[in-house]
Amino acid sequence: MITAVELGLIYAIMALGVYLTFRILDFPDLTVDGSFTTGAATASILIVNGTNPLVATVCAFFAGAAAGVITGLLHTKGNIDGLLAGILTMIGLYSINLRIMGKANVPLLGEDTLMSPLRANGWLGSWVSVALLLLLCLVAVAVIVWFLHTDVGMAMRSTGDNPEMIRSFGVSTDNQKILGLALSNGLVAFSGALIAQFQGYADIGMGIGIILIGLASVIVGQAIFSQRYIWLAAIAVVFGAVIYRLVIQFALGAGLEVNDMKLISAVLVVLALVLPQVGVFRKLAARIQITSRGTAKADAPEEEEKQNA
Amino acid sequence: MLEITNLNKTFFPGTVNERKALREIDLTLAEGDFVTVIGSNGAGKSTVLNMVAGKLYPDSGNVRIDGQDVTKLADFKRAKYLGRVFQDPMAGTAPSMTIEENLALALGRGKVRALALGVTNRKRELFVEELASLELGLEKRLKTKVGLLSGGQRQALSLLMATLTGPKILLLDEHTAALDPQRAALVTRLTREIVERHRLTTLMVTHNMEQALALGTRLIMMHDGQIILDLSQAEKEKMTVKGLLGEFEKIKGAQLDDRTMLQ
Ligand SMILES: Nc1ncnc2c1ncn2[C@@H]1O[C@H](COP(=O)(O)OP(=O)(O)O)[C@@H](O)[C@H]1O
Ligand SMILES: [Mg+2]
């Protein structure tokens, strides 16, 4: 139970990255399946080679950010569809991740990681580590919320909201997308680095399906929290990630196996997407979600049309 | 201020769908000129504005703003000179952001956007003052999401945002066409006031001839990718809607005659 909450809080950082692309930039980025592993691989190999684990984890962030930049460049400069650009980077990263790790699995047993102090004090699996990880998440939320209210952060939000309009105010929407993808995948890789240190190894397959976990977290959080304010939406993502983990834990407890987890993820996302369209749930969802597009009237200019030259 | 020379644009050249949208357009606006543009559907009015804004690039010809050749400059790079309001009231604002955030975005035109807080109390004071000039009560709703405003309110806000930093040129493309008559009148009044207050060099497309005659210091009429009539302020003051229609028929007829003779 507590382990599920711990995992949820670490995955929440990844989910915040997914929130940045899917919700803020309105960009369906699939790079994350690759960049999550990139983060884990980068941090693990650095740690194994004696790098300070904090430095290694920060490096993981930048490795993920670089992956995001690639997707951004493919999409904006290469005019490749967003989904495809993400898939291309994700597939390419598989080989790169193998190159980074040198093999399919890098164990971190006995290495000095960010989790070592927790482990040494017996805090892992206790509420102390939950509190510490929650603090980490709240710091991440605070930084993201602050960023989204700066001049450049607001330009990023408007890039997702109305790109034509913000271009007319001098913002390069291409650059905003690249920056957003970099930040997003940086967070995802950071989360991957922490997961590797938490579970004690990096594995080439650990990123598969990560995008679904991120999406599930964002959607579940959105279903229970108002999206009225950015800070609320961001906290909702963190809660969504934890709830997702608890649901998985519950499913495992009910007799499903670890190998069924991907299917559970997929089913959960499908449910979260479909349920709001069904009768009772729709009413509930309508109450919870505020529609961003107003109902401004666009009257047909029939009268004036007649005066046309 | 704005110099358009010998602008040509053909869509889908060499195909059955070939469409000459602009034929050798020449147009010069002096500082403070407020030009209204009328013409039939498909005359090329929007295409001219899109080329000034950098949304489309001409096949040949040049666009200069304040002496600088911007013909090949990307839209967002020349945005520091240009304010734009579109026909669609949804187009000029970011719906999921608040009124004050939208205004802050507009205030950032031509500046480097970095990590300073987007909305500050000092900016808020300015926003309140500017919004009050619209007389729509929006100054009391700074934290309202723009998506919740009516079309007329959004269009008024779009106009304010487009002109907030006093751009060198203001481009308006049928910006009152999607509004009901009452709101259209409001936005028309605001347009007149704002343009006068900032002495903005303005290019305004409208399909409403009365509006075209009532506003501005000069009127041009386009047809089939050409400017077929260019009225100075004095000429415009004497002109009527009926007179404009007469001119249009006359010139169109003459053009058709030319074409037929060429065949
Ligand atoms: N992006 C485009 N692609 C193809 N054809 C276009 C495009 N924009 C305009 N046109 C064509 O160019 C001509 C002029 O259009 P436009 O400038 O929009 O006319 P209007 O005077 O009504 O604003 C029309 O025939 C239109 O179909
Ligand atoms: Mg038009």
Side-chain angles (χ1 to χ4, degrees):
Chain A
M1 165 74 181
I2 290 184
T3 306
V5 176
E6 287 170 335
L7 274 173
L9 288 170
I10 302 179
Y11 278 115
I13 308 242
M14 174 278 296
L16 284 168
V18 171
Y19 167 77
L20 275 185
T21 45
F22 270 77
R23 279 281 168 266
I24 298 296
L25 271 182
D26 197 17
F27 187 102
D29 177 34
L30 298 189
T31 315
V32 290
D33 273 24
S35 61
F36 187 79
T37 312
T38 304
T42 306
S44 300
I45 215 68
L46 284 172
I47 287 172
V48 168
N49 286 299
T51 311
N52 174 302
L54 188 61
V55 174
T57 309
V58 170
C59 287
F61 176 93
F62 286 105
V69 169
I70 303 285
T71 302
L73 288 174
L74 288 176
H75 173 60
T76 58
K77 309 300 172 199
N79 293 318
I80 296 173
D81 172 74
L83 270 175
L84 184 55
I87 291 173
L88 289 170
T89 313
M90 171 185 61
I91 301 286
L93 280 177
Y94 188 87
S95 300
I96 292 179
N97 293 338
L98 272 175
R99 285 272 181 187
I100 295 175
M101 296 200 285
K103 53 192 182 217
N105 191 296
V106 178
L108 291 171
L109 280 175
E111 301 289 345
D112 183 25
T113 72
L114 287 178
M115 300 299 159
S116 307
L118 297 181
R119 199 165 278 129
N121 287 307
W123 286 344
L124 276 186
S126 81
W127 291 107
V128 179
S129 81
V130 168
L132 286 173
L133 289 171
L134 183 63
L135 190 68
L136 177 70
C137 281
L138 291 182
V139 169
V141 165
V143 170
I144 289 171
V145 171
W146 163 77
F147 171 75
L148 290 174
H149 285 88
T150 62
D151 281 321
V152 63
M154 293 206 321
M156 188 176 290
R157 282 159 63 199
S158 56
T159 296
D161 208 16
N162 190 346
E164 273 310 298
M165 164 262 178
I166 196 59
R167 287 177 77 84
S168 81
F169 288 107
V171 169
S172 161
T173 46
D174 285 0
N175 290 350
Q176 288 301 323
K177 284 183 192 163
I178 294 169
L179 179 63
L181 284 163
L183 285 179
S184 166
N185 284 287
L187 286 169
V188 170
F190 185 85
S191 171
L194 289 182
I195 288 289
Q197 296 172 66
F198 184 83
Q199 67 189 16
Y201 62 89
D203 184 86
I204 189 66
M206 66 192 282
I208 297 173
I210 276 294
I211 182 60
L212 281 188
I213 302 182
L215 265 186
S217 308
V218 170
I219 296 170
V220 168
Q222 181 174 305
I224 52 171
F225 276 70
S226 146
Q227 301 290 296
R228 179 103 179 248
Y229 304 105
I230 293 209
W231 62 268
L232 209 52
I235 288 178
V237 172
V238 174
F239 273 84
V242 173
I243 290 170
Y244 171 84
R245 269 296 136 195
L246 291 173
V247 170
I248 293 284
Q249 179 84 2
F250 177 78
L252 290 177
L256 289 164
E257 291 173 22
V258 174
N259 287 336
D260 299 328
M261 292 225 307
K262 303 284 185 240
L263 181 61
I264 303 172
S265 312
V267 170
L268 203 64
V269 171
V270 170
L271 285 183
L273 288 174
V274 173
L275 279 189
Q277 302 172 31
V278 194
V280 269
F281 295 104
R282 194 191 308 163
K283 251 168 85 186
L284 196 71
R287 226 194 52 215
I288 292 166
Q289 290 174 2
I290 80 143
T291 43
S292 59
R293 302 254 159 200
T295 47
K297 225 171 45 203
D299 304 88
E302 279 154 28
E303 291 301 307
E304 287 139 317
E305 205 93 292
K306 289 181 193 135
Q307 300 174 7
N308 236 339
Chain B
M1 183 53 71
L2 175 64
E3 247 178 293
I4 295 171
T5 39
N6 200 17
L7 221 50
N8 283 291
K9 181 73 184 179
T10 305
F11 289 106
F12 314 116
T15 71
V16 281
N17 292 321
E18 179 171 297
R19 180 85 180 99
K20 278 204 166 65
L22 296 184
R23 306 163 192 263
E24 292 166 16
I25 294 279
D26 286 304
L27 179 65
T28 303
L29 269 65
E31 195 168 345
D33 271 3
F34 181 174
V35 179
T36 55
V37 186
I38 55 172
S40 46
N41 276 330
K45 308 180 294 293
S46 298
T47 305
V48 170
L49 260 60
N50 281 331
M51 285 189 183
V52 175
K55 283 285 151 199
L56 288 173
Y57 298 102
D59 299 335
S60 63
N62 284 293
V63 178
R64 287 171 177 279
I65 298 174
D66 210 7
Q68 193 197 341
D69 190 338
V70 297
T71 314
K72 297 203 169 69
L73 205 60
D75 58 347
F76 70 90
K77 284 187 183 153
R78 61 176 97 171
K80 58 174 177 275
Y81 310 119
L82 297 164
R84 291 196 83 187
V85 184
F86 311 86
Q87 176 172 350
D88 179 3
M90 308 296 150
T93 47
S96 73
M97 298 174 73
T98 63
I99 291 180
E100 60 180 16
E101 285 173 337
N102 270 275
L103 283 163
L105 288 174
L107 196 62
R109 186 206 294 285
K111 301 195 187 96
V112 177
R113 290 172 207 259
L115 292 173
L117 218 50
V119 181
T120 59
N121 280 331
R122 220 164 82 221
K123 287 186 192 172
R124 252 185 218 117
E125 277 171 33
L126 170 75
F127 298 160
V128 166
E129 194 180 309
E130 293 287 337
L131 285 168
S133 74
L134 298 181
E135 296 174 19
L136 293 171
L138 294 181
E139 65 277 10
K140 297 187 201 81
R141 303 174 64 188
L142 287 180
K143 303 223 186 281
T144 301
K145 291 202 175 170
V146 170
L148 300 173
L149 302 181
S150 74
Q153 289 170 327
R154 279 180 81 163
Q155 204 62 329
L157 181 61
S158 303
L159 186 63
L160 178 59
M161 285 166 61
T163 55
L164 192 62
T165 49
K168 289 192 189 299
I169 293 163
L170 178 61
L171 300 174
L172 308 170
D173 194 351
E174 307 205 23
H175 69 308
T176 63
L179 305 173
D180 62 49
Q182 210 181 340
R183 299 222 171 84
L186 167 80
V187 173
T188 304
R189 174 175 68 79
L190 291 172
T191 305
R192 183 202 303 273
E193 285 171 8
I194 289 175
V195 170
E196 270 174 18
R197 180 146 58 100
H198 298 283
R199 310 208 54 68
L200 293 172
T201 308
T202 304
L203 204 49
M204 179 181 99
V205 174
T206 174
H207 58 231
N208 182 332
M209 294 205 183
E210 277 170 37
Q211 190 188 37
L213 287 170
L215 284 177
T217 59
R218 185 175 156 195
L219 181 149
I220 63 176
M221 186 191 279
M222 287 186 67
H223 177 65
D224 203 10
Q226 287 173 307
I227 294 174
I228 56 172
L229 188 69
D230 191 340
L231 299 180
S232 67
Q233 181 152 25
E235 291 167 319
K236 183 161 128 12
E237 273 161 16
K238 279 180 266 163
M239 185 54 82
T240 59
V241 170
K242 225 169 144 194
L244 279 178
L245 285 171
E247 289 287 339
F248 179 69
E249 291 306 326
K250 208 165 74 195
I251 297 163
K252 201 170 81 172
Q255 255 186 355
L256 285 180
D257 287 349
D258 287 351
R259 297 260 177 86
T260 345
M261 277 163 63
L262 283 174
Q263 282 172 356

